[in-house]
């Protein structure tokens, strides 16, 4: 399978590292082998080699300029992102550029161009899935290609595969949980006495926060994930205007102390139902499973008819954790197209 990466930041490097580490195992257990044939970035150059790039050399560029990748016969450095999408020999386009939750662009155009070129698409970029889900889903179906986005909600923790595959046959009434690692990390550190700004800086250093962390702290990143869940689980097209969205920036250390004294914790709770969605800080008793979820960890509770409540807890952000989500979707494409 030939893969092209649009974007080569934390998640792209995590994916290449996971693919590199696991290549023998993937070959042995799943008869799966893949080449990364192209990498394209906004400001650090592009690489295309139809026979595949050297993963170790790619990792050694360390997220710096791709000019540092060694020259080899047949290597091209001057293709645009659109040329790589439409003209390369990639079977799968992986859209990893930063999430623009206002317009979804240029990633929406990238995804459409890939579908029109009969290529599968895997995304960690939330913009297109949150803002153009119905249209992209329909186009993928029309073109007979896969449109997968596990990384967009809870990184490699299989929230979407759980709901869409394992829980088929149940009726899901609602999904409710902690969908933003940065804010959960900040709240956890504030409970331990760290000031808000220091906790935010720490979550940025660890690579959890968005390029513009106001998207995290004001609730918009979690709200984007609610839009994705509403589309993917309920076939419901929501917009940000349909939702009550609040963040954590207004929470003071004294609010957190007052809650703790009452045996409660603040959590930024996101919810999607067939009728709508919301994101807001909620005081939960410490006995609630979601209250026990600390750090950058995420969790969702699916409320269903046949299974009652099912809660899934796991990583919601991080380099290898999100890189794994891409790998997991690519393996799903491998299974579905054999
Ligand atoms: N900024 C996001 C978070 C990254 O903190 O959860 C994962 O979507």
């Amino acid at each position: 399978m030939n893969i092209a990466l649009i974007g080569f930041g934390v998640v792209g490097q995590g994916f290449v590292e996971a693919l590199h580490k696991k290549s023998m195992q993937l070959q042995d257990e799943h008869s799966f082998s893949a080449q990364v044939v192209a990498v394209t970035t906004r400001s650090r150059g592009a690489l295309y080699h139809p026979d595949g790039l050297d993963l170790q050399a790619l990792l050694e560029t360390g997220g710096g300029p791709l000019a540092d990748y060694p020259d080899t016969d047949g290597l091209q450095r001057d293709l645009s992102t659109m040329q790589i999408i439409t003209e390369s020999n990639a079977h799968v386009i992986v859209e990893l550029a930063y999430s623009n939750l206002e317009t979804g662009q240029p990633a929406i155009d990238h995804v459409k161009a890939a579908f029109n070129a009969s290529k599968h698409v895997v995304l960690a970029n939330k913009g297109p899935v949150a803002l153009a889900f119905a249209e992209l889903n329909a186009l993928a179906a029309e073109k007979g290609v896969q449109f997968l986005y596990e990384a967009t909600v809870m990184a490699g923790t299989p929230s979407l595969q759980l709901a869409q595959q394992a829980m088929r046959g149940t009726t899901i009434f609602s999904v409710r949980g902690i969908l933003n690692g940065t804010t959960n990390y900040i709240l956890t550190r504030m409970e331990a006495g760290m000031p808000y700004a220091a906790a935010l800086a720490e979550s940025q250093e660890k690579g959890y926060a968005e390029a513009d962390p106001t998207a995290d702290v004001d609730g918009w990143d979690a709200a984007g994930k609610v839009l994705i869940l509403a589309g993917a689980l309920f076939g419901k097209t929501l917009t940000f205007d349909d939702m009550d969205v609040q963040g954590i920036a207004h929470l003071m250390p004294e609010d957190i102390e007052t809650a703790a004294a009452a045996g409660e914790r603040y959590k930024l709770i996101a919810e999607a139902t067939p009728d709508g969605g919301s994101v807001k800080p909620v005081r939960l008793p410490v006995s609630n499973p979601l209250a026990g979820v600390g750090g950058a960890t995420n969790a969702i509770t699916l409320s269903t008819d046949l299974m009652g409540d099912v809660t899934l807890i796991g990583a919601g952000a991080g380099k290898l954790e999100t890189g794994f989500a891409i790998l997991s979707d690519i393996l799903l494409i491998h299974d579905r197209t054999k």
Side-chain angles (χ1 to χ4, degrees):
M1 187 179 282
N2 292 341
I3 298 167
L5 306 181
I6 302 177
F8 196 55
V10 173
V11 177
Q13 292 168 63
F15 165 67
V16 170
E17 195 178 325
L19 184 64
H20 193 39
K21 268 192 185 149
K22 295 281 180 179
S23 62
M24 298 289 273
Q25 185 185 335
L26 294 170
Q27 178 64 53
D28 290 349
E29 293 178 4
H30 304 283
S31 305
F32 173 83
S33 71
Q35 291 74 240
V36 175
V37 293
V39 175
T40 156
T41 67
R42 207 159 31 125
S43 57
R44 290 175 287 124
L47 300 169
Y48 173 54
H49 196 302
D51 298 336
L53 301 167
D54 182 287
L55 299 186
Q56 185 60 43
L58 199 51
L59 288 171
E60 280 166 14
T61 66
L66 294 176
D68 292 348
Y69 183 90
D71 275 322
T72 52
D73 272 355
L75 182 73
Q76 295 180 62
R77 297 181 183 270
D78 53 1
L79 293 186
S80 69
T81 297
M82 273 300 182
Q83 281 176 310
I84 283 172
I85 293 170
T86 57
E87 295 170 23
S88 77
N89 66 352
H91 305 110
V92 182
I93 304 296
V94 183
E95 172 47 79
L96 302 162
Y98 87 101
S99 298
N100 178 330
L101 287 175
E102 280 166 26
T103 66
Q105 293 292 16
I108 291 176
D109 288 344
H110 293 162
V111 177
K112 287 183 184 169
F115 289 159
N116 284 321
S118 298
K119 293 179 179 181
H120 309 292
V121 174
V122 171
L123 298 104
N125 185 331
K126 288 161 270 202
V129 198
L131 303 179
F133 180 83
E135 184 188 2
L136 296 177
N137 212 26
L139 186 58
E142 183 193 321
K143 300 290 175 185
V145 291
Q146 299 289 313
F147 168 45
L148 296 172
Y149 40 87
E150 184 66 71
T152 61
V153 181
M154 292 179 76
T157 307
S159 55
L160 297 165
Q161 285 201 42
L162 173 72
Q164 292 179 318
Q165 310 282 329
M167 303 293 285
R168 275 181 303 170
T170 59
T171 298
I172 299 172
F173 302 124
S174 70
V175 47
R176 183 170 193 261
I178 296 166
L179 292 179
N180 182 265
T182 302
T183 45
N184 206 51
Y185 186 87
I186 293 171
L187 290 174
T188 306
R189 299 299 272 160
M190 285 176 77
E191 275 162 28
M194 184 180 268
Y196 173 88
L200 172 58
E202 232 181 55
S203 72
Q204 286 177 294
E205 276 159 31
K206 289 179 182 286
Y208 304 141
E210 295 301 295
D212 174 1
T214 54
D216 296 294
V217 299
D218 291 343
W220 297 108
D221 174 77
K225 292 163 182 167
V226 169
L227 299 185
I228 294 170
L229 289 167
L233 273 56
F234 303 123
K236 169 97 180 163
T237 301
L238 285 181
T239 70
F240 288 117
D241 292 339
D242 299 324
M243 274 195 277
D244 177 14
V245 179
Q246 298 171 38
I248 62 159
H250 65 282
L251 281 181
M252 297 293 141
E254 13 331 345
D255 297 322
I256 287 165
E257 281 164 28
T258 309
E264 294 182 339
R265 280 199 182 116
Y266 273 102
K267 292 292 176 192
L268 188 65
I269 298 295
E271 183 171 41
T273 72
D275 302 318
S278 63
V279 176
K280 52 192 172 200
V282 176
R283 264 172 73 161
L284 297 174
V286 289
S287 56
N288 183 303
L290 297 177
V293 175
T297 304
N298 281 193
I300 46 167
T301 299
L302 302 173
S303 295
T304 75
D305 57 352
L306 302 179
M307 282 293 295
D309 283 359
V310 175
T311 297
L312 176 71
I313 300 175
K319 183 178 179 184
L320 274 177
E321 296 86 342
T322 313
F324 167 70
I326 304 298
L327 181 58
S328 152
D329 276 348
I330 285 177
L331 285 170
L332 202 56
I333 294 174
H334 171 67
D335 290 343
R336 287 178 176 175
T337 57
K338 305 202 244 225

